[in-house]
Amino acid sequence: MAISVYKTFILIVDAVLVVHWHRYDSFFMKGKFRPESANPVNRLLEKIYEPLIRLCLKWRKTTIGINIIALLVSVPLLMSLGKEFMPPLDEGLYCLCP
């Protein structure tokens, strides 16, 4: 069978699992859940995230401008992807790979 058939089968199985996962998640998630405020990692991330999101909402146009500039800078980098960084070495050798 071609690899594309296997890939298609896996994608179908993944789609079915995603749709029906809510039926099985209670089987894997047992016990008492702590609230988000009791998790120290979550509290730290919220302390970092909240001032940043407030700053971005206060300076909306600047935030959008910075993101557009970053996008424009990344376009030339994207166009150069896949090019060789080193010239090909033609040493007259043959590679006999099975």
Side-chain angles (χ1 to χ4, degrees), residues 17-62:
L17 283 176
V18 165
V19 171
H20 297 288
W21 180 252
H22 64 89
R23 296 180 186 171
Y24 308 112
D25 62 354
S26 61
F27 176 75
F28 295 107
M29 297 181 185
K30 295 190 186 239
K32 189 174 183 181
F33 291 106
R34 296 188 321 189
E36 291 181 1
S37 59
N39 186 344
V41 175
N42 196 25
R43 283 196 313 255
L44 174 70
L45 291 175
E46 283 182 5
K47 283 182 184 178
I48 295 170
Y49 178 76
E50 188 175 350
L52 285 175
I53 197 70
R54 289 190 187 279
L55 183 71
C56 289
L57 288 172
K58 181 179 178 184
W59 297 91
R60 280 183 285 243
K61 292 180 182 177
T62 306

